[in-house]
Amino acid sequence: MMKEAASNSGHGHLVIIGGGEDRSDDKEILRRFIALAGGVDRKIVVITAASKVADHMWDIYDKAFGDMGVTNRVPIHVASRADANRSDLARQVASADGIFMTGGDQRRLLAIIGGTELDAAMHHALKLRGACIAGTSAGASAMSGHMLADGSAELQPEKGSVNLGAGLGFLQRVVIDQHFSERRRLARLLTVVSQNPYLLGIGIDENTALVVERGVGIEVIGDGAVTIVDGRTMISNINDIKNRHCPEMIDVRLHLLPGGSRYALHEDEHGVELAHSDSNSSRQDVPLPLKDFLRIVTKRNPIS
Amino acid sequence: MMKEAASNSGHGHLVIIGGGEDRSDDKEILRRFIALAGGVDRKIVVITAASKVADHMWDIYDKAFGDMGVTNRVPIHVASRADANRSDLARQVASADGIFMTGGDQRRLLAIIGGTELDAAMHHALKLRGACIAGTSAGASAMSGHMLADGSAELQPEKGSVNLGAGLGFLQRVVIDQHFSERRRLARLLTVVSQNPYLLGIGIDENTALVVERGVGIEVIGDGAVTIVDGRTMISNINDIKNRHCPEMIDVRLHLLPGGSRYALHEDEHGVELAHSDSNSSRQDVPLPLKDFLRIVTKRNPIS
């Protein structure tokens, strides 16, 4: 598994982690991130801006990546937009093979780095150099263009209880939630989808990652599952109800992909079927109801 | 609302309650049950067999129904199958206009009354006399032919973690769970559906009821919502995974119906469209994805 994954380095992978990934035991997810970045000899940077305790965050990943044998590992501490526009830091990020965003608060992360040189450097590294970008918890939520900023939906979905913000845009047309099963966040993801049916909801459990390979496919790794909520054909009364009321939602499509799920599209960017290549032969063909999800998340976006 | 509901008495309604229904304040759900049984002058029996503290259960509903003005209210205490075959008790139930099953443990309830004279008397009252049958919590789960007996699925669905038993069979082709959002039971309902895709999963929140009118339609009342999980077109790997592992589930249809949702089929038992009758004019037409659910739960079953 590691070997094959390593051979796919340079493809511009995303490793979207639901928080609480193992950092001391087998470190499956972190190891996959390093493999997709090209291996332990490559340059890995850790962006701590989501957290108010950046040094503590760096300590955790400094140790974890160090234990794995990564020697070229660099913390990127930015506490302000001025920091995030520093060209020396942006160069560090643009030249990295692996970029890891820690947890914290995705609103803080975007308020500091959104639209800065650092942001542009991440897109540059991902799209022009095929770097691997990973984000955990807040760092996962920040990856999409529309970012789940905060939300309070408790037992049932609740109109007006969730706020979106502008994320980093490594993926479009999705919204990502983390600590998903553990913090019982289906109601809040359904709330987002009820109000924004054009966004696919992605809920990622703890110590679980959705690995996205641009233009190729996806894989779920780790202990939990990835839940996908597709409300595009939903029938809802969201426009007819009051704020804080629960919407009726009919015909939401739900997909549950546990660790081990692995799919490749086998089609080009125009949707034309490709011959199966050897490197993808271990991936199953995509069931029809999942195809659109794969097309959306694996889409090669233009540089934003 | 009460007036209209009362005018539908004698139709053989089911009031399937997710537990924790209000018994002291506005009592919306209990009032609806009484209305559908024909009003406070009718005969109401309370079956306490699900509970080990039958007297306590009776105290609760004796007071609640008494407060509402129901004078002809009778406890049916059966602690054994011998009790449940007593013809005097069966006659009490067969002649009731409203039959209420309390909470407790649905396995206990079925072990005591399943297949007994009391069971037959409930079917008789429902189908031949149009009595209203209500069940809360365990009493709700017991209503379907396939009964969710117990289950331990926690964060994710888990193959082999949920057991079905034989229920009372007032509805077929569904499985009912209760305290649904409050006890976070989506994973266990998905587990049932992953293993039994021919059953529709129905999850009912606390102080919430699914009201089923035979051959006509449904209504959700109360504070929470009813969640319907339809896995009939699902693609799953359930047969390829080990016990206690999480199945992959692709294209599960999910419907969320909050209190206030109200639909009528407007078709006869052969699926032929009916002219809208006055009495049903307040119900909306059924969205296509919900039609099958309505057909299944409102089906007039032969006496079992």
Side-chain angles (χ1 to χ4, degrees):
Chain A
M1 186 74 92
M2 288 291 291
K3 212 157 195 176
E4 188 209 347
S7 74
N8 286 335
S9 71
H11 286 209
H13 286 75
L14 301 175
V15 180
I16 313 169
I17 311 167
E21 73 284 353
D22 174 41
R23 298 149 194 160
S24 53
D25 197 7
D26 77 341
K27 308 188 193 69
E28 178 187 5
I29 293 169
L30 297 182
R31 285 191 187 280
R32 178 63 71 90
F33 162 61
I34 296 300
L36 293 172
V40 295
D41 299 330
R42 300 300 181 91
K43 177 177 179 178
I44 306 300
V45 300
V46 177
I47 297 176
T48 57
S51 176
K52 285 185 181 173
V53 288
D55 289 333
H56 174 65
M57 282 292 168
W58 169 239
D59 287 346
I60 291 170
Y61 291 101
D62 184 29
K63 177 160 183 1
F65 292 135
D67 287 348
M68 292 159 57
V70 176
T71 50
N72 190 358
R73 53 188 199 275
V74 182
I76 306 290
H77 294 315
V78 286
S80 68
R81 293 184 67 79
D83 288 348
N85 278 317
R86 276 172 48 187
S87 55
D88 58 326
L89 293 179
R91 273 196 303 273
Q92 286 273 25
V93 170
S95 64
D97 303 298
I99 301 169
F100 189 95
M101 293 185 285
T102 70
D105 181 336
Q106 58 265 39
R107 293 167 300 184
R108 178 185 162 90
L109 178 62
L110 264 290
I112 293 174
I113 75 170
T116 65
E117 292 300 318
L118 199 69
D119 177 347
M122 294 175 79
H123 281 271
H124 176 95
L126 174 71
K127 288 163 189 167
L128 298 186
R129 300 188 39 259
C132 179
I133 300 189
T136 188
S137 192
S141 288
M143 283 193 173
S144 55
H146 292 90
M147 179 179 78
L148 208 171
D150 59 85
S152 59
E154 294 293 331
L155 295 178
Q156 289 94 19
E158 233 179 69
K159 179 175 178 177
S161 67
V162 179
N163 296 309
L164 298 187
L168 291 167
F170 301 130
L171 307 91
Q172 299 292 344
R173 294 183 54 193
V174 302
V175 70
I176 298 167
D177 208 349
Q178 10 80 7
H179 304 280
F180 188 70
S181 292
E182 293 77 9
R183 297 190 189 169
R184 319 287 188 169
R185 285 176 162 173
L186 180 68
R188 107 173 177 177
L189 196 59
L190 285 172
T191 302
V192 174
V193 166
S194 72
Q195 297 178 197
N196 307 275
Y198 128 104
L199 301 179
L200 293 179
I202 303 177
I204 307 180
D205 291 348
E206 292 180 0
N207 197 25
T208 305
L210 174 64
V211 179
V212 175
E213 186 177 2
R214 299 274 143 169
V216 177
I218 61 155
E219 183 175 352
V220 177
I221 59 174
D223 286 346
V226 171
T227 302
I228 299 154
V229 177
D230 181 347
R232 289 175 302 160
T233 60
M234 165 189 68
I235 301 161
S236 169
N237 65 350
I238 190 78
N239 294 316
D240 306 323
I241 63 171
K242 289 184 188 154
N243 239 20
R244 300 285 156 179
H245 283 213
C246 175
E248 183 175 274
M249 301 174 75
I250 292 168
D251 209 25
V252 174
R253 312 294 170 101
L254 184 145
H255 315 303
L256 185 79
L257 305 180
S261 288
R262 186 174 163 82
Y263 289 105
L265 257 183
H266 302 304
E267 64 183 28
D268 70 14
E269 59 202 298
H270 307 294
V272 178
E273 190 84 3
L274 295 174
H276 290 208
S277 72
D278 281 346
S279 68
N280 293 321
S281 58
S282 67
R283 286 191 175 86
Q284 299 166 264
D285 276 342
V286 187
L288 192 62
L290 207 60
K291 245 179 189 170
D292 249 18
F293 172 74
L294 256 85
R295 289 190 185 117
I296 288 168
V297 297
T298 66
K299 188 174 180 183
R300 290 190 184 88
N301 292 310
I303 295 179
S304 63
Chain B
M1 185 75 91
M2 288 292 291
K3 213 157 193 176
E4 187 208 347
S7 74
N8 286 334
S9 70
H11 287 209
H13 285 75
L14 302 175
V15 179
I16 313 170
I17 310 167
E21 74 284 353
D22 174 42
R23 297 149 195 162
S24 53
D25 196 8
D26 77 342
K27 308 188 193 69
E28 178 188 5
I29 293 169
L30 296 182
R31 285 192 188 281
R32 178 63 70 89
F33 162 63
I34 296 299
L36 292 172
V40 295
D41 299 330
R42 299 300 179 92
K43 177 177 180 179
I44 306 299
V45 300
V46 177
I47 296 176
T48 58
S51 175
K52 286 184 182 175
V53 287
D55 289 334
H56 174 64
M57 283 292 167
W58 169 240
D59 286 347
I60 292 170
Y61 292 101
D62 183 30
K63 176 162 185 357
F65 293 133
D67 287 349
M68 290 159 59
V70 176
T71 50
N72 190 358
R73 53 188 198 275
V74 182
I76 305 290
H77 295 315
V78 285
S80 67
R81 292 183 68 79
D83 287 349
N85 278 316
R86 276 172 49 186
S87 56
D88 58 325
L89 293 179
R91 273 197 302 273
Q92 287 274 25
V93 170
S95 64
D97 302 297
I99 301 169
F100 189 94
M101 293 185 285
T102 69
D105 181 336
Q106 58 266 40
R107 293 168 299 186
R108 177 186 163 89
L109 178 62
L110 264 291
I112 293 174
I113 75 170
T116 65
E117 292 299 318
L118 200 67
D119 176 347
M122 294 175 77
H123 281 271
H124 176 95
L126 175 71
K127 287 162 189 166
L128 298 187
R129 299 189 39 260
C132 178
I133 299 190
T136 188
S137 192
S141 288
M143 283 192 173
S144 57
H146 292 90
M147 177 179 80
L148 209 169
D150 59 86
S152 60
E154 294 293 332
L155 295 179
Q156 290 93 20
E158 234 178 66
K159 179 177 178 176
S161 67
V162 179
N163 297 308
L164 299 187
L168 292 167
F170 301 130
L171 306 92
Q172 299 292 344
R173 294 182 54 192
V174 302
V175 69
I176 298 166
D177 208 351
Q178 10 79 8
H179 303 279
F180 188 70
S181 293
E182 293 77 9
R183 298 190 189 170
R184 318 287 187 168
R185 286 177 162 171
L186 180 68
R188 104 173 181 177
L189 196 58
L190 284 172
T191 302
V192 174
V193 166
S194 72
Q195 297 178 197
N196 307 275
Y198 127 105
L199 301 179
L200 294 179
I202 304 178
I204 306 179
D205 292 348
E206 292 181 0
N207 197 25
T208 305
L210 174 65
V211 179
V212 175
E213 186 177 1
R214 298 275 143 166
V216 177
I218 60 156
E219 183 175 353
V220 177
I221 59 174
D223 285 348
V226 171
T227 302
I228 297 154
V229 177
D230 180 347
R232 289 175 302 162
T233 60
M234 165 189 70
I235 300 162
S236 168
N237 65 350
I238 190 78
N239 294 316
D240 306 324
I241 63 171
K242 290 183 188 154
N243 239 20
R244 299 287 153 178
H245 283 214
C246 175
E248 183 175 273
M249 301 173 75
I250 292 168
D251 208 26
V252 174
R253 313 295 171 100
L254 185 145
H255 315 302
L256 184 79
L257 306 180
S261 288
R262 185 173 163 83
Y263 289 105
L265 257 181
H266 303 306
E267 63 184 29
D268 69 15
E269 60 204 299
H270 307 294
V272 178
E273 189 86 2
L274 296 175
H276 290 209
S277 70
D278 280 346
S279 68
N280 292 321
S281 59
S282 66
R283 287 191 175 85
Q284 299 167 263
D285 276 342
V286 187
L288 192 62
L290 207 60
K291 243 178 192 174
D292 249 17
F293 171 73
L294 256 83
R295 288 188 185 120
I296 288 168
V297 297
T298 65
K299 188 174 180 184
R300 291 190 184 87
N301 292 309
I303 294 179
S304 61

